[in-house]
Amino acid sequence: MEAINRSRQIIFEKIRRATLTGGINDGLSQQPLVGTKSEANETSYNRFTESLKMAGAEIAVLNICDIDTYISEKFPGAIDLRNKNIWEDYKGLQPSELANRAECVVISGKIGVAENGAIWVDDTCFPERLLPFIAGKLILLIGEDKIVSDMHEAYAAISGTLSGYGVFISGPSKTADIEQSLVYGAHGAISLDVVIMKG
Amino acid sequence: MTSHSERAAAFLKDPDRVSWHDETLWIVRKKRDRAAASVKEWENLREKASKLKEYVLSDLAGLLTEFERNATLNGAVVHWAADADEFNRVVLEIIKSKNARNIVKSKSMLTEECGLNHFLQDHGVDIVDTDLGERIIQFRNEPPSHIVLPAIHLKKEDIGELFHLKLGTDRGATDPQYLTRAARVHLREKFLNAHVALTGVNFAIAENGTVVVCTNEGNADMGVHSAPVQIHCMGIEKIIPKMEHLAVFTRLLARNATGQPVTTYTSHYRTPKENGELHIIIVDNGRTERLASIDYRDALKCIRCGACMNTCPVYRRSGGHSYGFTIPGPIGTILAPHSVPGKILYKDLPAASSLCMSCSNVCPVKIGIHEQIYKLRQELIRKGYGSFVKRAILKISGFVFAKPVLYDISGKMVRIALKIVPRFLIYSRVNTWGLERELPAVPTQSFKEWYRQNGSN
Ligand code: SF4
């Protein structure tokens, strides 16, 4: 610990000296982000679904009242994490147990981003952080009114409410490490279904 | 030690592979162009990203202090490492204190830079790279040849053979989907039994002590959420002031790297999991020396998107391993010579560039990469590291170019000389340029003479 604190001191001392000799404080200020916002013409909704398709996700658009039936018919046996009563069953489970039990998982997302199809989920959406990744099939629900235009709007919404862990998920897990051939299902979910909720 | 041109020559022995490498990376470059063009405010984003990074470099001490304070409040343990050796020892100490045996790692160029894998192996700790490309090259005991596409130098036949040996896949099988599935099964077992998970860091946010990691495969999250102990390793320059600035960088990073609008997972780690530990190791290893250098500090703005490699005509045709440095391509070229404080290394790399400026044109944080390469060349010549022949030629030509009459006479002499001097003298070992090339046919008159005759009408 001693040695590490000494390194901390040395590093800060060197930064201070570099900053003085380098003169890099000259004329630099924290930049306002004017002009970086998305200027796309299309509606957020259309761009969102386009981006999701590009990212390899399946899309369904449903009225809220039809969703339960849709899920139970299309994904029988799915673990529906919208129901917080079942969270206790999964808390503290070993990864291998989670792997055995969570083949298909339903999670309610908080923000959808039009420009890239990413959906924000965080600690308040699931009982264990591993669940969105260990499931072979992932189903994310997102309200139509939760779709924002770009990452600027998304982070503006998240900044104040960031919990212990959060992730933007855009499509199923993928890799192209073998000759640049795209393969879904590298380590995380093999498929992603997104249900956009209307009304 | 071999030189860049010798290693490039080894890569060039297989022309089909070189063409494939060249074309494949060019496709990635074109995807990047399409993604960039689809964002109207692209240039503005680049400008903001560049300015933000400059701001960061101007206030590193303040931002790191703020980050440390907030990360500690979040329940993270922050460690500092002055150099590679100390970084490796900090990691080993954490592993030892937990009696951990199974270590998984997701992509981190910093751990490559510090030689962490070999250090741990020497101390009896087995560490498994979990990014598919990284696992492939780990099996082959090779360094990555690209910072985003680590196994881009390999063909599926190479990987099929490797997996047959290491993972028992069918002999001769080369289907990427089949091979990827085999790796998934193999690595899943590693994740589920991991005691410690290591990751690199793309961005660290000062205002809330969060680290951000971007992956497509989901391997960072599989490891971090499976293992009770998570360790995030970052260079001091990874810090950014605020959460809102992430928007600028996440809009640029994946588009510029692979042409995707965003990586599949953009993960924000703030607090440890229940009953878990979260460590953050902040590393200097030569970065403060670079910060003190007005000429070369801009390289610290790099967000490791890899675009300068994909676009570089030299990189695409010589392969990542030809650079011999952890980070290849144009950005590697400007990092390598001053990578160890007080020394000048990799002196031949600045010559491995055509100065076409394509790297600077695609860089999302507007590093003047070609300018730095040019500065390095000048510095190396000044310090006497240029090759003897080149220096002699430059001296003589400097003398000749300064005197028009001498220039005219010597031009005539060369035109005559090239015709009458025997071939073995012109294409001798002194003229390495002539090893792979033929001189153009010698004109009978100089441009000046031709212009005097034809220029006026
Ligand atoms: S120097 Fe620029 S283009 Fe090259 S990897 Fe870094 S950020 Fe990307």
Side-chain angles (χ1 to χ4, degrees), chain A residues 132-133 135-138 172-173 184-192, chain B residues 184 265:
Chain A
F133 302 93
K137 275 187 188 161
L138 179 62
S173 128
Y184 292 123
H187 299 302
I190 297 174
S191 70
L192 173 68
Chain B
R184 178 182 169 100
Y265 304 103

Side-chain angles (χ1 to χ4, degrees), chain B residues 303-315:
Chain B
I303 58 171
R304 300 285 189 267
C305 72
C308 54
M309 286 156 220
N310 307 338
T311 202
C312 176
V314 177
Y315 174 91

Side-chain angles (χ1 to χ4, degrees), chain B residues 31-74:
Chain B
K31 282 193 202 156
R32 174 252 171 223
D33 287 352
R34 275 198 295 277
S38 74
V39 176
K40 282 189 202 149
E41 58 284 3
W42 183 257
E43 285 307 314
N44 202 318
L45 279 170
R46 281 180 78 208
E47 183 60 29
K48 288 288 155 18
S50 165
K51 283 282 162 2
L52 276 168
K53 281 285 179 179
E54 278 169 21
Y55 172 75
V56 166
L57 296 185
S58 77
D59 189 23
L60 262 186
L63 292 170
L64 285 167
T65 310
E66 190 187 348
F67 176 80
E68 182 186 36
R69 187 177 58 239
N70 289 323
T72 311
L73 283 176
N74 294 338

Side-chain angles (χ1 to χ4, degrees), chain B residues 12-28:
Chain B
L12 287 162
K13 281 210 175 97
D14 185 345
D16 290 342
R17 189 173 287 237
V18 176
S19 307
W20 181 84
H21 189 263
D22 179 16
E23 282 157 22
T24 306
L25 287 163
W26 189 247
I27 292 171
V28 181

Side-chain angles (χ1 to χ4, degrees), chain B residues 147 256 301-309 331 359 362-367 369:
Chain B
I147 59 174
N256 217 61
K301 290 157 71 182
C302 174
I303 58 171
R304 300 285 189 267
C305 72
C308 54
M309 286 156 220
I331 177 67
C359 48
V362 298
C363 180
V365 287
K366 293 192 159 185
I367 300 172
I369 306 169

Side-chain angles (χ1 to χ4, degrees), chain A residues 72-85:
Chain A
S72 59
E73 278 173 8
K74 191 162 179 205
F75 307 103
I79 299 170
D80 193 341
L81 294 173
R82 287 178 300 166
N83 176 6
K84 292 202 176 183
N85 294 327

Side-chain angles (χ1 to χ4, degrees), chain B residues 336-360:
Chain B
H338 294 289
S339 54
V340 176
K343 289 191 184 162
I344 300 187
L345 306 166
Y346 302 93
K347 300 180 198 74
D348 58 333
L349 288 191
S353 163
S354 63
L355 287 187
C356 70
M357 296 168 59
S358 186
C359 48
S360 306

Side-chain angles (χ1 to χ4, degrees), chain A residues 7-8 14 24-25 30 34 36 38 115 129 155 162 164-166 168 170 174-175 177 179 187-188, chain B residues 41 48 57-58 68 86 130 133 156 184 188 216-217 221 251 255 264 266 268 270-271 289 297:
Chain A
S7 293
R8 183 189 186 283
K14 283 165 87 179
I24 48 183
N25 276 322
Q30 206 159 324
V34 186
T36 59
S38 175
E115 69 163 321
R129 295 173 182 178
Y155 277 117
L162 184 67
Y165 167 74
F168 281 108
S170 159
K174 48 181 93 68
T175 183
D177 275 342
E179 274 198 13
H187 299 302
Chain B
E41 58 284 3
K48 288 288 155 18
L57 296 185
S58 77
E68 182 186 36
E86 186 173 19
T130 57
K156 60 183 183 216
R184 178 182 169 100
R188 201 153 254 235
N216 277 324
E217 299 188 1
D221 285 289
R251 297 192 72 197
R255 287 189 173 98
T264 305
T266 308
H268 305 60
R270 187 177 192 186
T271 65
E289 275 81 4
R297 70 172 174 233

